[in-house]
Amino acid sequence: MKRTGDEYFDSEEFHELLTEYEHSVETGEPVFLDVDALSEIADYYHFTGRYDQAENAITLALSLSPGAIAPLTYRIHEALWNGKTEEAKVYLSRIVETNELDYVYDKAEIMIAEERVDDADAYFLETLERLPEEDRQDYIFDVANIFQDYSYSEKSMEWTLRAKQEDTPEFKELMARNLFGVGRYKESERIWGELIDSDPFSKHYWNALASAQFMNEDYSSSVQSSEYAIAIDPDDPDGLLQKANGLYYLLNFEEALKYYRRYSSQKPDDEQGLLHQGVCLVNLGRHKEAIEVLNKALEVALSRDPDDESPHTGDIYQELSFAYSEEKDTEKAMEMIEKAHEFDGDSVQTELVKGHIMLASGKMQDAEKYFRRAVLLSDTPNQTLLRVIVSLYDNHYLEAAYTMFKKFFKVVEETPSATECNDGYAYMALCCYDMKRLDEFLSYLKIACERNPRECQVALSHLFPVDVDPKDYYNYIKDRLP
């Protein structure tokens, strides 16, 4: 049986339990397991994506003991996962063992799912006061994990700090997740590194380290860490997706595409993998292929249950609009961006994309109309104007882009927040390079390298060897230009 990364599910004890259950199912013999064991087996099947088998195990458990807390907790979590809090409350009302801490956890989780976080916190604290001292540490740890599972990292940190500090993998992992959740990625990375030192064959640890490095914008290290997870399990979806994302941000679209495809082979019902394949293909200029794969992504997204609406549908339509625009199908491109707006409601983005489509079809006056509307609607008009200028450059209106960049920088540099304007200089450098204004290219490149190396990488990496750090582009090229 393949390692899951979960300590209990990978244990010999659980393997024996699962083997006994599966032997009984395969042979048609009676299953002689209690409801707790059956619930654990259902959890395992759910964890590994075998949902029909999970349903069979939990149905059997409830038939044996309809009021037992373990299988009803499974049903509560299932309902909450699908956004059905009222259904979760019905299952809670059927629990017989209301004096168990699991009942407290279930009741509080429903409050959290209803965004009654303060009520849940107060309920947890009230229960803590009634517990004997010897039970408090485990209880505090459980509560912290629950808040973390629902992405309330600050609240989880509060509870973690109530506990006695332990030098255990469980405590370190919780702290690493908390630090990640509150944006302290470097500290989180350090703890995941410590955990890997103690268990170098945990793909979960390697993927968590890769996530922290990715959020810290250390994409090369993130890719390397994800490679360890893939080495441990070549079919691990998390590792494949993590590596694909890192490669994408390193602008290695060809390699990223390969790993997004491998991810989709493991998760065919996740439109996210197909969407990112489409984005890579758009960046590679393979627009017909992009349209094909993005339409597959759309099929998957739209086939979801209405209670489980995809968060990616708007993005899929938007990428389709770009692909159709590049294929000179302006009507279809405009139809797609209108569809995107129905899902994400982002009027500024919609107007910007419409303007971009009009530019691509050579309709400057129509483009100006949409761009003007985008700037007027925007809460950050300077940033929106910058995106308009980049669109002009992307559509080969070099003189217009150059003139607008000049005006843009003059305005932002005369405002009190001038030092906060770090965007646009790399694109201006590229514009100057294409126009053979090499002195200006160097001048803007120097600013860009100092202020925004990431933008340098995105805009200018095709001009430099891959082993040159974007912050060093200016120093690398200043003496090499004619």
Side-chain angles (χ1 to χ4, degrees), residues 219-240:
Y219 304 119
S220 295
S221 295
S222 178
V223 168
Q224 291 172 6
S225 295
S226 64
E227 287 171 348
Y228 283 103
I230 295 169
I232 294 165
D233 179 0
D235 296 326
D236 176 48
D238 292 336
L240 294 170

mmCIF file of all heavy atoms in Angstrom, residues 219-240:
data_model
loop_
_atom_site.group_PDB
_atom_site.id
_atom_site.type_symbol
_atom_site.label_atom_id
_atom_site.label_comp_id
_atom_site.label_asym_id
_atom_site.label_seq_id
_atom_site.Cartn_x
_atom_site.Cartn_y
_atom_site.Cartn_z
ATOM 1 N N TYR A 219 11.522 30.639 -5.764
ATOM 2 C CA TYR A 219 10.899 29.638 -6.615
ATOM 3 C C TYR A 219 11.839 28.485 -6.962
ATOM 4 O O TYR A 219 11.402 27.341 -7.067
ATOM 5 C CB TYR A 219 10.368 30.307 -7.895
ATOM 6 C CG TYR A 219 9.412 31.432 -7.601
ATOM 7 C CD1 TYR A 219 9.688 32.741 -8.001
ATOM 8 C CD2 TYR A 219 8.236 31.199 -6.901
ATOM 9 C CE1 TYR A 219 8.814 33.780 -7.718
ATOM 10 C CE2 TYR A 219 7.356 32.237 -6.606
ATOM 11 C CZ TYR A 219 7.653 33.526 -7.019
ATOM 12 O OH TYR A 219 6.794 34.550 -6.735
ATOM 13 N N SER A 220 13.124 28.771 -7.117
ATOM 14 C CA SER A 220 14.075 27.697 -7.428
ATOM 15 C C SER A 220 14.144 26.686 -6.294
ATOM 16 O O SER A 220 14.115 25.464 -6.518
ATOM 17 C CB SER A 220 15.465 28.279 -7.694
ATOM 18 O OG SER A 220 15.468 29.073 -8.851
ATOM 19 N N SER A 221 14.211 27.187 -5.055
ATOM 20 C CA SER A 221 14.245 26.276 -3.902
ATOM 21 C C SER A 221 12.935 25.516 -3.770
ATOM 22 O O SER A 221 12.927 24.338 -3.397
ATOM 23 C CB SER A 221 14.519 27.064 -2.619
ATOM 24 O OG SER A 221 15.813 27.633 -2.649
ATOM 25 N N SER A 222 11.832 26.184 -4.079
ATOM 26 C CA SER A 222 10.529 25.527 -4.015
ATOM 27 C C SER A 222 10.470 24.350 -4.985
ATOM 28 O O SER A 222 9.985 23.267 -4.638
ATOM 29 C CB SER A 222 9.420 26.535 -4.330
ATOM 30 O OG SER A 222 8.156 25.913 -4.314
ATOM 31 N N VAL A 223 10.972 24.558 -6.187
ATOM 32 C CA VAL A 223 11.004 23.477 -7.177
ATOM 33 C C VAL A 223 11.870 22.322 -6.670
ATOM 34 O O VAL A 223 11.478 21.146 -6.759
ATOM 35 C CB VAL A 223 11.532 23.994 -8.529
ATOM 36 C CG1 VAL A 223 11.862 22.834 -9.476
ATOM 37 C CG2 VAL A 223 10.507 24.920 -9.174
ATOM 38 N N GLN A 224 13.025 22.637 -6.107
ATOM 39 C CA GLN A 224 13.909 21.584 -5.591
ATOM 40 C C GLN A 224 13.242 20.780 -4.483
ATOM 41 O O GLN A 224 13.341 19.547 -4.445
ATOM 42 C CB GLN A 224 15.208 22.205 -5.090
ATOM 43 C CG GLN A 224 16.091 22.767 -6.194
ATOM 44 C CD GLN A 224 17.284 23.543 -5.658
ATOM 45 O OE1 GLN A 224 17.537 23.578 -4.461
ATOM 46 N NE2 GLN A 224 18.017 24.184 -6.559
ATOM 47 N N SER A 225 12.546 21.461 -3.567
ATOM 48 C CA SER A 225 11.877 20.759 -2.469
ATOM 49 C C SER A 225 10.760 19.868 -2.999
ATOM 50 O O SER A 225 10.581 18.736 -2.535
ATOM 51 C CB SER A 225 11.317 21.771 -1.467
ATOM 52 O OG SER A 225 12.363 22.491 -0.844
ATOM 53 N N SER A 226 10.019 20.373 -3.967
ATOM 54 C CA SER A 226 8.926 19.560 -4.526
ATOM 55 C C SER A 226 9.479 18.327 -5.233
ATOM 56 O O SER A 226 8.826 17.276 -5.269
ATOM 57 C CB SER A 226 8.070 20.390 -5.484
ATOM 58 O OG SER A 226 8.814 20.813 -6.605
ATOM 59 N N GLU A 227 10.687 18.438 -5.770
ATOM 60 C CA GLU A 227 11.306 17.277 -6.424
ATOM 61 C C GLU A 227 11.564 16.144 -5.436
ATOM 62 O O GLU A 227 11.465 14.958 -5.797
ATOM 63 C CB GLU A 227 12.606 17.692 -7.120
ATOM 64 C CG GLU A 227 12.355 18.496 -8.392
ATOM 65 C CD GLU A 227 13.615 19.101 -8.976
ATOM 66 O OE1 GLU A 227 14.654 19.092 -8.270
ATOM 67 O OE2 GLU A 227 13.569 19.594 -10.119
ATOM 68 N N TYR A 228 11.883 16.484 -4.184
ATOM 69 C CA TYR A 228 12.054 15.446 -3.163
ATOM 70 C C TYR A 228 10.735 14.740 -2.890
ATOM 71 O O TYR A 228 10.692 13.506 -2.723
ATOM 72 C CB TYR A 228 12.617 16.047 -1.882
ATOM 73 C CG TYR A 228 14.100 16.330 -1.945
ATOM 74 C CD1 TYR A 228 14.575 17.620 -2.137
ATOM 75 C CD2 TYR A 228 15.031 15.305 -1.802
ATOM 76 C CE1 TYR A 228 15.939 17.895 -2.200
ATOM 77 C CE2 TYR A 228 16.402 15.560 -1.858
ATOM 78 C CZ TYR A 228 16.844 16.862 -2.059
ATOM 79 O OH TYR A 228 18.189 17.109 -2.120
ATOM 80 N N ALA A 229 9.639 15.514 -2.819
ATOM 81 C CA ALA A 229 8.323 14.903 -2.603
ATOM 82 C C ALA A 229 7.971 13.974 -3.757
ATOM 83 O O ALA A 229 7.443 12.874 -3.549
ATOM 84 C CB ALA A 229 7.255 15.999 -2.462
ATOM 85 N N ILE A 230 8.293 14.389 -4.989
ATOM 86 C CA ILE A 230 8.002 13.560 -6.160
ATOM 87 C C ILE A 230 8.897 12.323 -6.183
ATOM 88 O O ILE A 230 8.467 11.246 -6.607
ATOM 89 C CB ILE A 230 8.164 14.396 -7.448
ATOM 90 C CG1 ILE A 230 7.117 15.518 -7.482
ATOM 91 C CG2 ILE A 230 8.043 13.520 -8.692
ATOM 92 C CD1 ILE A 230 7.359 16.556 -8.561
ATOM 93 N N ALA A 231 10.129 12.457 -5.705
ATOM 94 C CA ALA A 231 11.025 11.296 -5.640
ATOM 95 C C ALA A 231 10.479 10.253 -4.670
ATOM 96 O O ALA A 231 10.583 9.043 -4.916
ATOM 97 C CB ALA A 231 12.418 11.736 -5.208
ATOM 98 N N ILE A 232 9.876 10.715 -3.572
ATOM 99 C CA ILE A 232 9.278 9.801 -2.594
ATOM 100 C C ILE A 232 8.025 9.149 -3.172
ATOM 101 O O ILE A 232 7.782 7.955 -2.990
ATOM 102 C CB ILE A 232 8.946 10.560 -1.292
ATOM 103 C CG1 ILE A 232 10.254 11.029 -0.620
ATOM 104 C CG2 ILE A 232 8.127 9.702 -0.330
ATOM 105 C CD1 ILE A 232 10.054 12.069 0.456
ATOM 106 N N ASP A 233 7.233 9.942 -3.911
ATOM 107 C CA ASP A 233 6.001 9.439 -4.522
ATOM 108 C C ASP A 233 5.829 10.118 -5.876
ATOM 109 O O ASP A 233 5.357 11.253 -5.953
ATOM 110 C CB ASP A 233 4.797 9.735 -3.619
ATOM 111 C CG ASP A 233 3.487 9.241 -4.220
ATOM 112 O OD1 ASP A 233 3.509 8.673 -5.325
ATOM 113 O OD2 ASP A 233 2.434 9.431 -3.576
ATOM 114 N N PRO A 234 6.202 9.445 -6.967
ATOM 115 C CA PRO A 234 6.146 10.063 -8.295
ATOM 116 C C PRO A 234 4.748 10.501 -8.733
ATOM 117 O O PRO A 234 4.622 11.322 -9.654
ATOM 118 C CB PRO A 234 6.679 8.963 -9.223
ATOM 119 C CG PRO A 234 7.508 8.092 -8.338
ATOM 120 C CD PRO A 234 6.814 8.105 -7.005
ATOM 121 N N ASP A 235 3.716 9.955 -8.104
ATOM 122 C CA ASP A 235 2.343 10.301 -8.479
ATOM 123 C C ASP A 235 1.680 11.238 -7.471
ATOM 124 O O ASP A 235 0.460 11.422 -7.509
ATOM 125 C CB ASP A 235 1.491 9.026 -8.605
ATOM 126 C CG ASP A 235 1.983 8.114 -9.724
ATOM 127 O OD1 ASP A 235 2.465 8.645 -10.739
ATOM 128 O OD2 ASP A 235 1.894 6.881 -9.575
ATOM 129 N N ASP A 236 2.472 11.836 -6.598
ATOM 130 C CA ASP A 236 1.901 12.707 -5.568
ATOM 131 C C ASP A 236 1.367 13.990 -6.206
ATOM 132 O O ASP A 236 2.141 14.804 -6.721
ATOM 133 C CB ASP A 236 2.966 13.055 -4.528
ATOM 134 C CG ASP A 236 2.439 14.029 -3.487
ATOM 135 O OD1 ASP A 236 1.348 13.792 -2.963
ATOM 136 O OD2 ASP A 236 3.123 15.033 -3.211
ATOM 137 N N PRO A 237 0.042 14.215 -6.171
ATOM 138 C CA PRO A 237 -0.522 15.400 -6.828
ATOM 139 C C PRO A 237 -0.003 16.709 -6.251
ATOM 140 O O PRO A 237 0.253 17.653 -7.004
ATOM 141 C CB PRO A 237 -2.041 15.248 -6.584
ATOM 142 C CG PRO A 237 -2.247 13.805 -6.276
ATOM 143 C CD PRO A 237 -1.009 13.353 -5.583
ATOM 144 N N ASP A 238 0.165 16.767 -4.920
ATOM 145 C CA ASP A 238 0.631 18.009 -4.299
ATOM 146 C C ASP A 238 2.033 18.361 -4.776
ATOM 147 O O ASP A 238 2.336 19.519 -5.089
ATOM 148 C CB ASP A 238 0.605 17.897 -2.773
ATOM 149 C CG ASP A 238 -0.800 17.820 -2.220
ATOM 150 O OD1 ASP A 238 -1.724 18.303 -2.908
ATOM 151 O OD2 ASP A 238 -0.980 17.286 -1.110
ATOM 152 N N GLY A 239 2.898 17.362 -4.833
ATOM 153 C CA GLY A 239 4.264 17.602 -5.289
ATOM 154 C C GLY A 239 4.302 18.021 -6.752
ATOM 155 O O GLY A 239 5.047 18.937 -7.134
ATOM 156 N N LEU A 240 3.494 17.363 -7.578
ATOM 157 C CA LEU A 240 3.457 17.696 -9.003
ATOM 158 C C LEU A 240 2.953 19.120 -9.225
ATOM 159 O O LEU A 240 3.511 19.871 -10.028
ATOM 160 C CB LEU A 240 2.552 16.701 -9.744
ATOM 161 C CG LEU A 240 3.052 15.254 -9.783
ATOM 162 C CD1 LEU A 240 1.968 14.327 -10.311
ATOM 163 C CD2 LEU A 240 4.322 15.136 -10.632
#
